[in-house]
Amino acid sequence: MPVTMASLSSVSARTSPSPAVAPRRVVCASAPSDNGAGSSATLQKDRKPSPLQRGGTLQGAAAAGKDASDKFKSMAEGKQRSGPVLQMVDGRFSDFRWTGGRWDLSLFRDPKTGGTSWDAVIDAEMARRKLLEDSPIACTNEDPVLFDTAEIPWWAWVRRFHLPEAEKLNGRAAMVGYVLALGVDQLTGVGLLDQQNSFFGKVLLHVAVFGILLIRSSSDVDRFKGLIDEAFYYDKQWQSTWEGQERPSSDK
Amino acid sequence: MASAIAQQAAALCTAQAPRQQTRSAAKAFVGAPVQRKQSILGRSIVQSSSKQQAAPRSSALKVYAIRDGATLDRPLRVAVIGGGPSGACCAESLAKGGVEAFLIERKMDNCKPCGGAIPICMVEEFDLPMEIIDRRVTKMKMISPSNREVDVGKTLNDKEWIGMCRREVFDDFLRKRATKLGANLVNGLYMGMDVGADTITIRYNEYKEGDKVGTPTTLDVDLVIGADGANSRVAKDIDAGEYDYAIAFQERIRIPEDKMEYYKDLAEMYVGDDVSPDFYGWVFPKYDHVAVGTGTVVNKTAIKQYQQATRDRAKVKTEGGQIIRVEAHPIPEHPRPRRVKGRVTLVGDAAGYVTKCSGEGIYFAAKSGRMAGEAIVKYSEGGKKMTGERALRDYLDEFDRKYWATYKVLDILQKVFYRSNPAREAFVEMCESNYVQKMTFDSYLYKTVVPGTPLDDVKLLVNTVGSLLRANALRSADSKSVNVSFGSKSNAEKVTAAA
């Protein structure tokens, strides 16, 4: 059966075969196409199922877990699927997902959705930076670092970092706002809904929301005091020569 | 009797003055109006400050025998202490304008530890010949704490480069040129000055040919320009005040030919907490070796650690090298509080004209020297009339107005991007963009703050904020960079925070 042998070899020449995907190449199947159990579901109507799809082959979830171990899978595929994780080997950063100076995003697959798991990428980059901060390594021309954090999409950052913080801040703003509203009600007798119409109520609402936005925790107050002092320190140093003196350009 | 009462009143005034002076000085510092209360014989007189009110140290009270503007029967005499770029350019401008200039330099073959980088505008403005420039750097690499490399310099055309020179050659050329134009070059060490009624007497030790020990000599001049560098003696003598300074430490390393080929026209800048808490480590190519160094303001005692870290980061690229020289020097961080007193002023490093973020000083030193010289020539009308503080204040004002924007922008860059490791990562990420590179080099090479197009500026702002947010998000909770704070703390507090 020379034709079938040729078709078998052409199939095995493909890297990363995935049982769920129908074979791209039309394989000349000289044998009659009787569909074996469970092999017809993913085939296109006009393509005959290949010998590898028939004869009791399981597809998709039913075949899951029937692969050889990770090690041999990676050897067969030619791509590493495991290895050192976030380590310093011989003064170099070594991780099986870090190749060519960037994270190989195909190795960060999310098992549930099939796309890239951006959280895992963010975690890996955080860990890499921490590792290099604690033990800096020499910069070499042979291993340049090319990863740009802009490769991670904006919504991954928002979901991971902004949303929890926003939830916390909104919670605080709501609590503070409610207590203030109760206080205003007690003092002025204006009810919660009626306060929305009063100017004083609106002002307090804005104060609560923006206050919580800017001053997220008590340590922020000290930080902002220092910021204003720092922002103008250099200016003062430059102008100290002119202190108490008239500056020629001020006459013009 | 009247004089006794007057003396008592004067004693009362001066007794109260010190405490009120410090308070009113503090108020004037922040720009608040100052009111001085003087009580004479029990009556309070409130004087409001006006522009004419003399601060204790101003020269308005000082009466000179030869007043400013008086015609002289001999050319105006000016002593320039220090023969580096600022002193030599000042002496050159003075000599060109007909003023008699005395350039006093203690060591004619001095090799001041320096990066040695000069922008291209300096070559044109100061007519520098190509022979004194050893290398023309056209590529610059910035390396982040996580070793991300960015090639800065993609936007340079073939007429734009950064010149690297040897300070001994550069300084010598400028001094010789000043001498050719008529300045009197004196080999001597400045010891002090006595300000008299009509002249200032400079005391210095003159080194005659072959002398090891100098002979004390004096020189009578009308004005003095202090161009004697970061450890200026003139600044001490006029009570100019202290400034914060960085200590720059550098090792000159001769590396093998093939490694030197990599640095043929390339300079590197390493940023990171390991390399320096508030500056950068560098590898600059010199004429046949490289200079590897770093600097810091807040943690000077740990400079050797930072140097070791810089050497480690560049370890592979400088392998097999031999250290031929180790040197260090202070670099001022901001100008001195008082840059002029009477007929004495400061230029260059002595005044503190070094930018933040890049630590560039040569161009501003030479330019300030030239501006001071030109102001004196203008006000003395070619050396024919006496001049004094008015001319010097005019030079200070012109310099401040012209370069204030440059200094402030670099200060903001330093404060935003040298603050922590995440900020430095964001900095290196930002430098990848062509727009940033073009703006940076345009402002560095031509010394003007280039405005750029509004749309690109907005995009740049958005990208900067995005980079900073991402980089800060990526720092882990127990990283050292977490406790970032603002404020101009004193050095001692900053060191304990950085440790």
Side-chain angles (χ1 to χ4, degrees):
Chain A
M1 307 277 268
V3 177
T4 345
M5 293 307 291
S7 66
L8 278 174
S9 60
S10 65
V11 165
S12 64
R14 264 204 314 274
T15 54
S16 61
S18 179
V21 175
R24 290 270 179 88
R25 277 182 256 186
V26 176
V27 183
C28 27
S30 52
S33 60
D34 57 37
N35 292 334
S39 68
S40 62
T42 50
L43 287 178
Q44 293 178 347
K45 285 189 185 119
D46 44 324
R47 287 208 188 140
K48 292 186 186 153
S50 82
L52 291 183
Q53 309 294 108
R54 290 181 282 123
T57 308
L58 299 178
Q59 301 274 354
K66 308 280 194 287
D67 279 340
S69 77
D70 278 346
K71 177 166 168 225
F72 297 103
K73 198 151 71 165
S74 65
M75 278 166 67
E77 286 172 3
K79 212 195 267 195
Q80 278 205 302
R81 286 197 172 275
S82 66
V85 173
L86 301 169
Q87 281 171 20
M88 291 291 207
V89 176
D90 284 339
R92 290 196 171 152
F93 176 71
S94 159
D95 186 305
F96 73 97
R97 300 163 296 183
W98 176 266
T99 47
R102 41 167 48 98
W103 295 107
D104 187 350
L105 296 174
S106 68
L107 294 171
F108 285 93
R109 291 241 172 270
D110 188 354
K112 280 179 273 183
T113 58
T116 337
S117 160
W118 297 111
D119 273 347
V121 179
I122 290 177
D123 282 335
E125 180 64 13
M126 270 173 70
R128 184 185 76 93
R129 289 195 180 185
K130 176 77 169 53
L131 195 59
L132 288 183
E133 192 178 274
D134 288 340
S135 47
I137 57 176
C139 157
T140 57
N141 291 328
E142 295 78 35
D143 314 318
V145 171
L146 301 169
F147 180 68
D148 189 341
T149 54
E151 289 171 22
I152 303 171
W154 65 273
W155 50 263
W157 298 98
V158 169
R159 196 180 62 189
R160 168 82 180 251
F161 295 107
H162 175 72
L163 292 183
E165 187 80 10
E167 183 188 340
K168 198 167 63 170
L169 293 182
N170 278 322
R172 287 184 187 164
M175 287 186 268
V176 170
Y178 186 65
V179 167
L180 282 180
L182 284 184
V184 169
D185 192 344
Q186 175 68 25
L187 290 173
T188 61
V190 180
L192 196 58
L193 279 181
D194 293 333
Q195 278 177 36
Q196 307 301 323
N197 294 331
S198 90
F199 179 69
F200 185 52
K202 287 186 182 131
V203 165
L204 273 186
L205 174 70
H206 283 82
V207 164
V209 169
F210 288 113
I212 294 290
L213 259 183
L214 290 173
I215 305 175
R216 287 176 288 172
S217 60
S218 45
S219 61
D220 280 352
V221 184
D222 289 323
R223 285 178 69 172
F224 284 128
K225 271 203 290 222
L227 177 64
I228 297 186
D229 167 47
E230 187 185 290
F232 294 107
Y233 190 57
Y234 195 53
D235 305 48
K236 284 191 220 153
Q237 287 173 332
W238 269 83
Q239 282 153 18
S240 66
T241 291
W242 302 108
E243 171 214 337
Q245 308 292 325
E246 48 178 303
R247 194 161 170 169
S249 57
S250 61
D251 294 335
K252 297 166 193 157
Chain B
M1 178 66 173
S3 61
I5 294 175
Q7 270 179 5
Q8 266 189 0
L12 266 174
C13 289
T14 47
Q16 279 184 339
R19 192 190 45 175
Q20 282 179 349
Q21 260 179 29
T22 43
R23 278 226 314 263
S24 56
K27 279 168 97 176
F29 194 64
V30 293
V34 174
Q35 287 195 331
R36 287 237 189 105
K37 275 193 186 184
Q38 289 180 340
S39 86
I40 299 180
L41 300 174
R43 273 172 36 203
S44 294
I45 299 170
V46 173
Q47 288 177 333
S48 59
S49 83
S50 65
K51 288 192 176 154
Q52 273 64 46
Q53 183 183 41
R57 54 169 172 83
S58 98
S59 64
L61 291 173
K62 191 158 174 53
V63 178
Y64 289 106
I66 308 177
R67 295 168 58 95
D68 293 355
T71 316
L72 298 168
D73 52 358
R74 39 118 186 136
L76 188 70
R77 295 156 67 94
V78 177
V80 180
I81 316 291
S86 57
C89 288
C90 186
E92 179 188 338
S93 305
L94 290 169
K96 264 201 254 190
V99 173
E100 193 174 358
F102 296 90
L103 185 56
I104 303 181
E105 166 62 39
R106 69 172 172 96
K107 189 162 186 268
M108 294 302 179
D109 56 351
N110 190 26
C111 174
K112 192 227 166 207
C114 182
I118 56 178
I120 196 171
C121 62
M122 187 166 188
V123 175
E124 290 160 47
E125 277 182 46
F126 290 88
D127 293 317
L128 300 177
M130 282 299 149
E131 293 84 57
I132 61 172
I133 294 172
D134 293 328
R135 267 175 209 278
R136 292 182 233 180
V137 164
T138 51
K139 298 196 285 261
M140 180 112 152
K141 263 208 182 142
M142 292 200 48
I143 296 151
S144 80
S146 68
N147 280 343
R148 167 111 189 265
E149 282 179 21
V150 164
D151 276 322
V152 181
K154 291 185 279 199
T155 54
L156 291 177
N157 61 36
D158 44 4
K159 289 207 191 56
E160 292 174 333
W161 35 266
I162 304 174
M164 307 297 289
C165 62
R166 273 169 285 170
R167 279 298 299 271
E168 60 271 28
V169 171
F170 183 76
D171 294 358
D172 191 58
F173 168 77
L174 290 174
R175 273 195 299 267
K176 287 212 166 66
R177 189 166 71 178
T179 316
K180 252 197 292 256
L181 287 165
N184 305 300
L185 183 59
V186 175
N187 187 357
L189 174 64
Y190 167 81
M191 298 303 288
M193 68 171 134
D194 302 309
V195 179
D198 57 348
T199 55
I200 304 178
T201 308
I202 307 283
R203 286 177 282 114
Y204 65 100
N205 289 350
E206 184 167 0
Y207 296 118
K208 303 225 174 43
E209 278 295 320
D211 260 3
K212 289 289 171 60
V213 179
T215 36
T217 328
T218 60
L219 177 67
D220 283 341
V221 292
D222 302 310
L223 290 106
V224 176
I225 310 273
D228 41 352
N231 297 319
S232 169
R233 185 75 199 264
V234 175
K236 237 188 298 250
D237 285 344
I238 65 167
D239 204 20
E242 290 300 320
Y243 51 22
D244 293 339
Y245 58 91
I247 192 92
F249 187 95
Q250 122 176 317
E251 285 169 337
R252 301 205 189 186
I253 303 180
R254 186 161 279 137
I255 54 179
E257 269 303 311
D258 52 334
K259 301 229 151 70
M260 197 64 215
E261 188 58 30
Y262 170 73
Y263 286 113
K264 190 163 66 117
D265 54 0
L266 175 125
E268 285 181 332
M269 262 175 68
Y270 292 89
V271 288
D273 270 341
D274 52 328
V275 161
S276 168
D278 52 3
F279 209 62
Y280 59 89
W282 62 82
V283 179
F284 287 162
K286 304 276 186 194
Y287 60 103
D288 66 348
H289 56 272
V290 292
V292 179
T294 181
T296 175
V297 178
V298 297
N299 202 359
K300 295 188 189 54
T301 44
I303 187 69
K304 290 262 174 68
Q305 298 167 19
Y306 297 133
Q307 176 67 14
Q308 182 61 42
T310 314
R311 295 280 309 280
D312 279 346
R313 294 256 247 146
K315 183 162 59 178
V316 176
K317 296 182 196 168
T318 57
E319 215 160 358
Q322 266 180 314
I323 299 180
I324 55 178
R325 197 183 163 116
V326 178
E327 51 196 14
H329 204 80
I331 300 181
E333 285 288 293
H334 62 85
R336 291 197 194 253
R338 291 171 291 277
R339 286 175 269 157
V340 65
K341 181 180 182 185
R343 289 178 175 165
V344 184
T345 192
L346 302 170
V347 294
D349 268 13
Y353 295 140
V354 177
T355 62
K356 293 226 167 149
C357 191
S358 60
E360 187 199 349
I362 301 184
Y363 175 79
F364 296 103
K367 198 70 204 256
S368 64
R370 174 179 278 193
M371 277 180 171
E374 284 173 351
I376 293 175
V377 165
K378 181 173 107 171
Y379 275 78
S380 69
E381 290 173 26
K384 298 193 188 60
K385 296 208 169 133
M386 188 58 157
T387 182
E389 192 168 336
R390 185 81 202 280
L392 304 177
R393 290 207 169 272
D394 197 56
Y395 131 69
L396 283 180
D397 189 46
E398 199 190 333
F399 186 84
D400 282 4
R401 270 182 308 128
K402 187 160 183 176
Y403 293 114
W404 165 242
T406 308
Y407 280 95
K408 185 62 184 173
V409 164
L410 285 166
D411 177 54
I412 292 174
L413 284 180
Q414 159 131 357
K415 289 200 166 80
V416 171
F417 288 118
Y418 281 15
R419 190 173 287 280
S420 62
N421 267 352
R424 294 181 190 112
E425 297 274 359
F427 188 38
V428 174
E429 216 174 82
M430 288 312 304
C431 286
E432 180 101 62
S433 101
N434 276 358
Y435 182 66
V436 170
Q437 291 186 22
K438 185 160 180 340
M439 300 280 286
T440 310
F441 272 109
D442 275 353
S443 57
Y444 171 75
L445 292 175
Y446 303 110
K447 287 292 170 283
T448 49
V449 180
V450 186
T453 52
L455 183 63
D456 285 324
D457 279 341
V458 169
K459 275 204 292 200
L460 176 64
L461 182 65
V462 170
N463 283 336
T464 307
V465 172
S467 278
L468 282 169
L469 285 175
R470 286 196 300 262
N472 274 299
L474 281 178
R475 68 163 188 253
S476 60
D478 53 348
S479 152
K480 273 187 300 180
S481 292
V482 167
N483 297 322
V484 166
S485 58
F486 304 109
S488 48
K489 294 184 276 203
S490 71
N491 265 358
E493 291 171 46
K494 281 187 193 164
V495 171
T496 46

